[in-house]
Amino acid sequence: MNSIPPVIPPAPPPLPPRSPRRVSIIAKLAYIGGLLILLQIPVGLTHGVLKDRRGYQEQAAAEISRSWGHSQAVAGPILAVPYWYQATAIHQRVVNGRKVDVEENELVAATAYFLPDNLTADGSIDPEVRSRGIYDTVVYTLRLKMTARFQPDFGAARIEADQIDWDHARVLVSVSDLHGLRSLGPLHYGADRSVGFETSATQTEASHFLFGPTPMVPGSGPLEISFDAICQGSDAVTFAPVGQNTRVTVRSPWPDPSFVGATLPVRRSVGAQGFDATWESVQFSHPFPASWSSRSEKNDDMMKRIADSGFGVRFARPIDAYGMVERAQKYATLFFVLIFNAFFLFELTAGLRIHPTQYAMVGAALCLFFLGFLALTEFWPTAWAYLAAAGACTALISLYAWSFLHSGGRTVMITAGLTATYGYLYFVLQSQDYALLAGTLALFAGLAIAMYGTRRFNWYTTELSGAVAAGATE
């Protein structure tokens, strides 16, 4: 009886050898990642150049401001009334050959300060652009009319009528930069009376006061005053709400104001023809009292509290060119990733081999865009500077890519991709509030394109030097 030999199972098919090209793909991705890190060096150097140029711009603006006038902060008017009060002082006296402490009453001088019950300021501002070399800054001329009504309550301040020195009562007005003051006064009061302003002999660096003698007498009723002022300044102008009821109105042909300070306008109108803004405030919203005395409060401390409550307008430039360049540099890595992603996809889909040096050349051209954009913004409008720098870099990279892509169609795709990326970056720079969302969407789109373009690849068998492997799947 013949025995049936056992069935020997067939040997399993040998495992396919590990493709060395898989390692080369990983190596290429690692190289691109390393190149992205190295490209931060020239971008950082460009940022250093930007800081230097911005420093030169600030220096030029400071020189113009020194000649024309710095930012102006207007505070006042404030009524200052000197008075005397009895105080007990201890002095040493010699009695019977011995030193003893003796209490004596003496008159001590002090000043009471009263804020106006109502303050109205109406101003018109004429801005202009002044240049120093290739840099410029915004300066302005402020024409201001102020009216105020005082009704000081000496009883609340515990000051008797016979203690008041009416002959030396003053109306104080503070202007932060006297160099820019062109005219002030005269101070009008009553029906047809006026008096000129004088410069205070006790000016400090923080408070430049000017004052006029005020012939206020007991029982004369409220003191109503008005005066005009013309001053020059730069960058910004602010007003202190010293009135128990304050109303400030400012108009200017400047189309791009930036409202600053502790309070925003209650009404404003901004358009191509300029702006018109009105601020209103009341005493209860202020961190300072309606009156105080040098006997109990330091005048410098009170003036600082008043200045901190100021509001006004800054004359912002429509587009800060250096700010645009700085924001563009922040998106440099995103920009590099999108462009290198396109070239790497060509390596996978078209069977091309792009040398690491060629990636480095493309990266260098992308870095030159930021330097070119910075240089051109100093001479051209920002939009034209961006267009010229982006166009030059797009042409340079496209012509260089033509030499190794070996196809006009592929070169056109790279050109279109660069154009779209530069256009999208400009949109991101213009829409700063949506910059994070736009950048995230760009990364999402770049990843989606990469995933879609490689969806059929078998990464174990795909070679960078060949077409798609025969074992590709859906």
Side-chain angles (χ1 to χ4, degrees), residues 135-323:
Y135 304 105
D136 53 44
T137 189
V138 180
V139 299
Y140 61 82
T141 299
L142 168 65
R143 291 174 172 81
L144 183 66
K145 181 177 180 60
M146 303 189 78
T147 59
R149 178 179 180 273
F150 293 93
Q151 193 167 12
D153 188 352
F154 292 98
R158 297 181 180 180
I159 300 174
E160 300 296 334
D162 57 357
Q163 297 176 300
I164 301 172
D165 182 5
W166 294 105
D167 293 336
H168 294 90
R170 295 290 186 265
V171 171
L172 308 180
V173 179
S174 170
V175 181
S176 60
D177 186 10
L178 284 179
H179 176 72
L181 190 63
R182 291 295 168 261
S183 69
L184 180 66
L187 179 73
H188 299 282
Y189 61 95
D192 54 357
R193 293 178 294 177
S194 63
V195 65
F197 276 95
E198 303 172 3
T199 303
S200 171
T202 60
Q203 294 176 6
T204 64
E205 185 177 356
S207 301
H208 297 293
F209 280 105
L210 300 102
F211 60 94
T214 305
M216 185 176 182
V217 296
S220 60
L223 173 65
E224 296 185 357
I225 65 170
S226 65
F227 62 90
D228 298 328
I230 299 176
C231 62
Q232 298 175 169
S234 59
D235 184 50
V237 59
T238 58
F239 304 90
V242 298
Q244 297 186 46
N245 292 281
T246 303
R247 177 187 176 92
V248 177
T249 301
V250 174
R251 63 189 62 85
S252 172
W254 189 257
D256 296 282
S258 176
F259 300 110
V260 296
T263 306
L264 292 176
V266 295
R267 288 181 295 278
R268 64 178 184 175
S269 174
V270 180
Q273 303 302 317
F275 72 90
D276 190 324
T278 300
W279 291 262
E280 294 179 354
S281 67
V282 295
Q283 169 63 36
F284 303 106
S285 63
H286 302 161
F288 49 86
S291 64
W292 71 93
S293 171
S294 60
R295 180 179 176 180
S296 58
E297 299 283 352
K298 291 184 178 180
N299 193 50
D300 288 344
D301 293 341
M302 294 301 300
M303 290 307 302
K304 184 179 185 306
R305 291 163 65 180
I306 290 175
D308 291 342
S309 301
F311 48 74
V313 59
R314 171 169 282 113
F315 296 91
R317 300 302 299 270
I319 297 178
D320 179 8
Y322 287 153

Side-chain angles (χ1 to χ4, degrees), residues 336-383:
F336 297 152
V337 167
L338 295 177
I339 300 303
F340 288 163
N341 179 57
F343 280 106
F344 185 70
L345 286 179
F346 273 129
E347 286 199 75
L348 293 176
T349 59
L352 298 175
R353 293 298 302 273
I354 301 178
H355 196 272
T357 304
Q358 293 169 323
Y359 274 101
M361 291 289 188
V362 171
L366 294 174
C367 290
L368 278 178
F369 159 74
F370 300 102
L371 187 61
F373 183 28
L374 171 60
L376 292 175
T377 52
E378 297 184 337
F379 301 95
W380 294 354
T382 305

Side-chain angles (χ1 to χ4, degrees), residues 8-70:
I8 300 176
L15 295 174
R18 185 177 181 181
S19 173
R21 294 300 181 184
R22 178 172 179 257
V23 177
S24 74
I25 290 177
I26 295 176
K28 178 59 70 70
L29 289 173
Y31 169 78
I32 294 175
L35 182 60
L36 290 173
I37 296 175
L38 290 176
L39 288 177
Q40 302 306 312
I41 297 176
V43 173
L45 294 175
T46 305
H47 184 69
V49 175
L50 170 63
K51 291 179 63 177
D52 291 340
R53 306 305 289 182
R54 177 168 276 168
Y56 297 149
Q57 182 191 43
E58 293 174 352
Q59 181 179 355
E63 292 175 357
I64 295 173
S65 297
R66 279 196 298 269
S67 302
W68 182 268
H70 294 90

Side-chain angles (χ1 to χ4, degrees), residues 327 330-331 334 424 427-429 431-444:
R327 291 201 299 273
K330 294 179 180 179
Y331 290 93
L334 170 64
Y424 192 77
F427 166 76
V428 171
L429 298 181
S431 306
Q432 187 174 3
D433 293 340
Y434 302 97
L436 178 60
L437 176 60
T440 304
L441 291 177
L443 283 175
F444 185 85

